[in-house]
Amino acid sequence: MVVDIEGAVKTKGSRYWPWLFVGLTICSTVVSQLAFKLAAGPVNGGAEEGLYRWINIWFIAGGAACLFGMVFWLAALRRLPVSQAYPWTAAVYVLTPIVSFFRFGDSLTWPYCVGIVLICVGIFVTTRNAGVES
């Protein structure tokens, strides 16, 4: 194991492992947000408020997904500089609303879709040469 100038750990093995971990982090975060939405119930929920209403299987699943996401993120950061990995986490802001649109019927307005495109462009711009010295 060798540590490079930016502090990223270089390990033997596939160069795709770090990106798999970044992808799993993103997926885990999206799943956790959707599970928390299911745990919270409908937007205009009934009168049965209280802690017992919030602690359910979806709440536990959301917490587990968060935990897995943190483990995957740590695994990614052991292999990549933050400047390369972190911009990709913005994909959560793209995927969560899209999945929510199909799963919960949330609205996706044109301005929101333009914002999603801008986020994708931002990810591309910030990661194009990330980790490469000029």
Side-chain angles (χ1 to χ4, degrees), residues 2-10 81 131-133:
V2 178
V3 178
D4 73 357
I5 219 163
E6 293 183 56
V9 177
K10 304 292 184 189
V132 178
E133 291 186 32

Side-chain angles (χ1 to χ4, degrees), residues 36-62:
F36 286 142
K37 170 61 179 162
L38 289 168
V43 173
N44 296 320
E48 68 279 356
E49 293 296 322
L51 188 58
Y52 73 92
R53 181 178 184 268
W54 299 87
I55 307 296
N56 55 41
I57 190 67
W58 293 113
F59 180 81
I60 295 167

